Amino acid sequence: MEEADYEKVFELWKTIKGFGIRSMDDSREGVLRFIRRNPGISVVAEAKGRIVGAILCGHDGRRGCFYHVCVHEDFRQRGIGKSMAVFAMKALQEEHINKVCLIAFKKNEVGNSFWKSVGWTFREDLNYYDFVLNDENITTFQ
């Protein structure tokens, strides 16, 4: 993924049913800040000149994380998601990152089914917590 891909990626996000878009984190400025902090490990998939899949991928020096993993509905079941995930995981390995995680909404049946089918482990031994630092970073669902 390159900075110039932002507009097309954002348009893709808006087509994904149930997708949460944050007003600040997913703004052009927010995504470009993320890509610059994590160069070369986020990925897009293209078909016929359009972006049909994307993964924002980053790490903190210890653990990698996937954000906003998606494939356009018309292009699913073709190995695109798996190929993007493999690309991002190899990029993380090159940076000596040994583990990667992601969060999938419980309602996201397609995503949860996909991750289980490609060998990711569903964790039942932990609780996930977060704390909002900026109430202006509003999430809207598509």
Side-chain angles (χ1 to χ4, degrees):
M1 182 182 297
E2 299 176 359
E3 291 184 20
D5 294 326
Y6 173 77
E7 282 77 16
K8 291 179 182 178
V9 169
F10 191 81
E11 288 302 312
L12 171 65
W13 291 345
K14 292 192 306 186
T15 71
I16 306 297
K17 183 180 177 187
F19 203 80
I21 298 176
R22 291 180 187 86
S23 59
M24 297 170 78
D25 293 341
D26 299 326
S27 68
R28 179 177 178 75
E29 178 182 286
V31 172
L32 297 187
R33 181 175 51 247
F34 182 85
I35 291 172
R36 290 173 187 148
R37 186 180 187 285
N38 299 280
I41 56 178
S42 293
V43 61
V44 296
E46 296 181 344
K48 300 179 183 177
R50 81 186 239 216
I51 291 178
V52 299
I55 298 177
L56 288 178
C57 180
H59 70 82
D60 60 9
R62 178 181 171 136
R63 181 158 306 164
C65 194
F66 287 179
Y67 303 91
H68 286 358
V69 178
C70 63
V71 174
H72 190 282
E73 189 173 10
D74 295 343
F75 291 85
R76 293 180 183 159
Q77 302 293 318
R78 300 182 189 186
I80 293 170
K82 186 175 182 180
S83 294
M84 290 190 306
V86 167
F87 172 90
M89 289 187 295
K90 285 181 178 177
L92 288 169
Q93 285 177 317
E94 289 175 12
E95 299 205 18
H96 307 286
I97 303 301
N98 299 310
K99 193 169 191 178
V100 61
C101 64
L102 63 86
I103 297 168
F105 289 113
K106 288 187 180 284
K107 294 180 182 180
N108 182 353
E109 293 176 17
V110 171
N112 285 298
S113 176
F114 170 78
W115 294 113
K116 288 176 186 176
S117 76
V118 294
W120 285 55
T121 303
F122 177 74
R123 299 282 305 262
E124 295 187 49
D125 62 328
L126 54 81
N127 295 317
Y128 174 81
Y129 298 90
D130 66 19
F131 190 91
V132 176
L133 296 174
N134 188 334
D135 290 331
E136 295 178 20
N137 191 25
I138 307 299
T139 302
T140 57
F141 290 92
Q142 304 305 307

